[in-house]
Amino acid sequence: MRLIGCILIMLTAVTVCAQRPLDSLYTRLENYSTDDSAKVELLFQLCLQEFRSGHKENALPLIKEALAISEKIKFTKGVATSYNYLALYYQAVGDFDKVADNTMRMIEVYEKLNDQAGLTRAYNMLALVHQQWKNYDRAEVYLKKAVAINTQVNHQPGLMVNYMNLGVTFALAGKYDSAILYFENALMLSQYLNDENEMTNAYANIGYAYAHKSNFVKAIQNFDKAYPLAQKNNNLLSLFEINVGYLKIDTSAHDYQKAILHAEGALVLAERIADKTRLHEAYQWLSEIEHHRDNHQNAFKYLALAQAYKDSIFTEVKALTIAELETRYETEKKERTIQLLSKDRKIQLLWTNLLVVGMVIITVASIVIYTLQRKHQRKNLAMLNMQIDLLTSGQQHWSDKYHDAISASTIGLVESSDQRLLRNALEVVERNMANPLFGVDKMADDMAMSRANLHRKLKTVTGLVPGDFIRNVRMKRAAYLLQNNADTVAQIALSVGFEYQSNFSKVFKKQFGVSPSEFSKSEHVTL
């Protein structure tokens, strides 16, 4: 535990040192009574120091005060910077829908100011949001927009950050060779600019990419260069990445004791900076190490903690937020343009009429599309139930009963993507029928799809979300087994993935209206 002790001592020393400029700035703020741009700048200095000291929760009221004053005195640059700080704050606490919202507001203000440097910061922030939601192609698009601006104005510090973020994007996408190229470009610029903090990040990221390529010699070479720089510059994020990189190497070498030390060190750093993403990663590593050591109780405990942090960061609702915000922003831009062009009354009337006609067309089209989609879903759901019956029974009389219906329903769809999706989904659930830990995440992995993509496509085809789909298949299997008195209720519950009979009975009754025991005794039951 010596490593963790050293980290805690370092963090304590940093906190004490950081407190001195903070006290001085707060004294200045108390003595400043005028709401002007100078006070806004002072609030921003305080925000920056609170971030650096690790007390980002203290920064939020300062940012909100700066925004309120900036709006009051019409200090446009202060408004943009306030949104920038709000985005940084919500990024640090893992609330990425608010990151996206404040970033889009920031872009709107910087476009009015024609502030190219501000736009590059906003594009970087949007790329980070897309990284978090695994939209790596969209992250690349925004980062290359930032590269284009910084190349045009020859802003080398900005290019250095862009290259670093592009490297991270490719690394997250598993394209480690491309990631290393961008990290090395960032390293060259950081050396030219003598920026030790970014030099640390570059070495750490290069080492991390090489570790994922299992080139542990080069990984260690880069980590060994990064570690003293990270300590010197108090770069907590790089220290975290270095610890994770070392523990990956130790895990691959089956040196689990050293790996645990690095994992616990990474956990301490993640807790110190209150980064949910890195907390998820640290607990995920601890779970995997304990699993390799056959310490399954601890592995399950760490896995539960990792999942809790993952769930708090990402939900399907949040995954849609960025697209909605981007659409809303583009729509608002178009509306502002229309208003400028419509000063003439006749033109304004023309646009109004076009808007009414467009809304009517959109409404009619939406109703038609919705009706067709509902019809398609009902047809697919009927097909799904028939296929579940066939899959779960395995009896000839079921096949005879539904063979003609399925054949008629699937004419022209044999090779369709809907049919393949249904078949693959049923096969995956069937393979994992008795696994109580099988859920939506595992289903998405087995079908080589993202969770959001699986949710969208399965809902479109069947009208069921993945969780309901899994439960439907399990309940059909259970009903068939109960109807044929294949085993006890308890054993049948286990065979369809329920560890507790009481939970199984509750779900079964909700599906069929009777308890499993009553169902098994009934006659002529139609599933």
Side-chain angles (χ1 to χ4, degrees):
M1 303 298 285
R2 191 176 301 167
L3 174 66
I4 300 175
C6 292
I7 291 171
L8 289 172
I9 291 170
M10 180 186 71
L11 292 174
T12 304
V14 169
T15 303
V16 171
C17 294
Q19 191 60 42
R20 293 170 185 171
L22 269 174
D23 290 341
S24 173
L25 288 169
Y26 273 115
T27 300
R28 285 176 57 193
L29 183 63
E30 287 174 3
N31 296 326
Y32 207 106
S33 57
T34 307
D35 285 346
D36 57 15
S37 60
K39 185 174 183 179
V40 171
E41 295 294 345
L42 179 57
L43 287 163
F44 290 150
Q45 289 179 48
L46 270 167
C47 290
L48 185 61
Q49 289 298 328
E50 290 288 10
F51 272 115
R52 287 176 175 173
S53 68
H55 296 101
K56 55 182 173 293
E57 68 279 357
N58 295 337
L60 185 58
L62 298 169
I63 301 169
K64 290 182 176 179
E65 184 179 357
L67 177 60
I69 294 173
S70 298
E71 289 176 336
K72 174 184 172 184
I73 64 174
K74 303 188 184 306
F75 181 33
T76 311
K77 186 176 180 180
V79 172
T81 306
S82 298
Y83 287 134
N84 192 358
Y85 271 109
L86 282 170
L88 288 168
Y89 170 80
Y90 287 116
Q91 178 202 356
V93 299
D95 196 344
F96 286 92
D97 52 346
K98 290 184 179 178
V99 175
D101 186 41
N102 284 285
T103 305
M104 298 308 295
R105 294 173 188 272
M106 182 168 52
I107 288 177
E108 183 178 343
V109 180
Y110 279 135
E111 282 185 342
K112 288 179 180 177
L113 292 170
N114 195 26
D115 187 332
Q116 298 299 302
L119 280 174
T120 61
R121 288 196 297 274
Y123 291 148
N124 272 292
M125 188 63 68
L126 272 182
L128 291 175
V129 175
H130 281 295
Q131 283 176 6
Q132 187 63 40
W133 289 338
K134 301 182 181 179
N135 299 329
Y136 302 125
D137 291 341
R138 293 293 297 161
E140 184 182 347
V141 167
Y142 280 113
L143 287 170
K144 288 186 175 177
K145 282 185 177 183
V147 167
I149 293 173
N150 284 322
T151 301
Q152 185 179 3
V153 299
N154 194 28
H155 187 232
Q156 293 181 334
L159 276 172
M160 175 179 63
V161 173
N162 298 154
Y163 288 145
M164 193 77 75
N165 286 334
L166 276 165
V168 171
T169 300
F170 282 107
L172 290 171
K175 300 176 182 178
Y176 298 111
D177 290 328
S178 298
I180 289 168
L181 287 175
Y182 279 108
F183 288 144
E184 287 176 342
N185 285 337
L187 176 61
M188 284 189 291
L189 281 171
S190 67
Q191 290 170 335
Y192 175 76
L193 297 168
N194 196 27
D195 188 330
E196 288 190 343
N197 201 48
E198 289 303 313
M199 209 182 301
T200 307
N201 293 334
Y203 279 127
N205 286 329
I206 293 169
Y208 195 70
Y210 274 121
H212 277 280
K213 285 170 59 70
S214 298
N215 189 338
F216 298 134
V217 173
K218 286 192 175 181
I220 291 172
Q221 288 173 354
N222 283 279
F223 287 141
D224 286 346
K225 291 176 183 177
Y227 190 72
L229 287 169
Q231 286 185 309
K232 175 183 176 183
N233 294 288
N234 182 36
N235 192 327
L236 304 186
L237 292 180
S238 282
L239 282 168
F240 174 89
E241 299 296 343
I242 293 165
N243 273 286
V244 172
Y246 276 130
L247 79 85
K248 180 170 178 61
I249 294 169
D250 293 334
T251 303
S252 299
H254 306 295
D255 190 345
Y256 299 126
Q257 286 300 120
K258 285 178 67 177
I260 284 177
L261 287 177
H262 285 294
E264 290 177 341
L267 182 61
V268 169
L269 288 162
E271 288 175 339
R272 181 67 180 84
I273 58 181
D275 189 316
K276 293 180 181 179
T277 303
R278 289 173 173 80
L279 281 166
H280 161 71
E281 189 174 352
Y283 281 122
Q284 186 75 37
W285 272 109
L286 281 166
S287 175
E288 290 184 21
I289 295 167
E290 294 292 9
H291 175 71
H292 285 302
R293 296 173 73 206
D294 292 326
N295 191 345
H296 299 301
Q297 186 174 358
N298 279 347
F300 184 78
K301 177 184 70 175
Y302 289 133
L303 183 63
L305 288 167
Q307 188 61 44
Y309 280 108
K310 181 180 178 181
D311 290 343
S312 69
I313 295 168
F314 178 82
T315 66
E316 292 164 3
V317 174
K318 287 183 180 180
L320 299 172
T321 302
I322 182 69
E324 292 171 357
L325 287 168
E326 289 171 342
T327 302
R328 185 188 72 187
Y329 173 67
E330 291 301 324
T331 302
E332 288 174 351
K333 280 181 67 176
K334 289 176 183 177
E335 288 175 353
R336 286 195 299 273
T337 304
I338 289 170
Q339 288 173 0
L340 289 172
L341 294 172
S342 300
K343 290 181 179 179
D344 187 328
R345 246 177 112 183
K346 292 181 180 179
I347 296 175
Q348 189 173 16
L349 182 60
L350 175 62
W351 278 110
T352 303
N353 291 335
L354 286 174
L355 181 63
V356 171
V357 172
M359 289 299 294
V360 171
I361 292 171
I362 291 169
T363 303
V364 171
S366 298
I367 293 170
V368 171
I369 291 169
Y370 176 77
T371 303
L372 290 174
Q373 189 178 44
R374 290 291 296 171
K375 183 178 179 181
H376 182 63
Q377 283 182 349
R378 286 196 296 271
K379 180 180 176 182
N380 280 331
L381 189 57
M383 288 167 54
L384 170 65
N385 283 325
M386 286 187 277
Q387 291 187 36
I388 291 172
D389 289 336
L390 283 170
L391 184 64
T392 55
S393 70
Q395 297 297 319
Q396 187 61 41
H397 75 275
W398 282 102
S399 181
D400 293 339
K401 182 179 178 181
Y402 290 118
H403 180 272
D404 293 337
I406 293 173
S407 297
S409 299
T410 56
I411 291 172
L413 296 175
V414 175
E415 297 298 328
S416 74
S417 58
D418 286 1
Q419 193 70 7
R420 286 196 298 274
L421 178 71
L422 280 173
R423 187 184 68 250
N424 291 341
L426 286 167
E427 287 173 356
V428 167
V429 178
E430 176 67 13
R431 286 198 303 270
N432 293 275
M433 182 72 71
N435 181 4
L437 297 179
F438 176 72
V440 177
D441 286 333
K442 180 68 167 61
M443 185 180 184
D445 289 342
D446 285 0
M447 294 182 70
M449 299 171 72
S450 69
R451 181 186 175 113
N453 201 23
L454 175 63
H455 181 279
R456 179 177 58 81
K457 288 190 175 181
L458 200 58
K459 181 73 185 299
T460 300
V461 172
T462 68
L464 297 173
V465 297
D468 290 343
F469 180 91
I470 294 168
R471 184 167 58 252
N472 194 15
V473 177
R474 281 175 160 161
M475 289 299 100
K476 287 277 188 176
R477 165 60 67 82
Y480 171 75
L481 294 173
L482 287 166
Q483 193 176 36
N484 289 275
N485 297 313
D487 213 328
T488 64
V489 173
Q491 287 301 316
I492 289 172
L494 289 172
S495 72
V496 296
F498 285 82
E499 291 183 290
Y500 302 104
Q501 184 179 334
S502 58
N503 188 30
F504 167 71
S505 297
K506 181 180 177 181
V507 174
F508 189 92
K509 186 169 183 179
K510 184 177 180 181
Q511 177 94 357
F512 294 106
V514 293
S515 69
S517 299
E518 292 169 338
F519 188 91
S520 64
K521 295 173 184 178
S522 62
E523 297 181 355
H524 308 295
V525 178
T526 300
L527 299 183

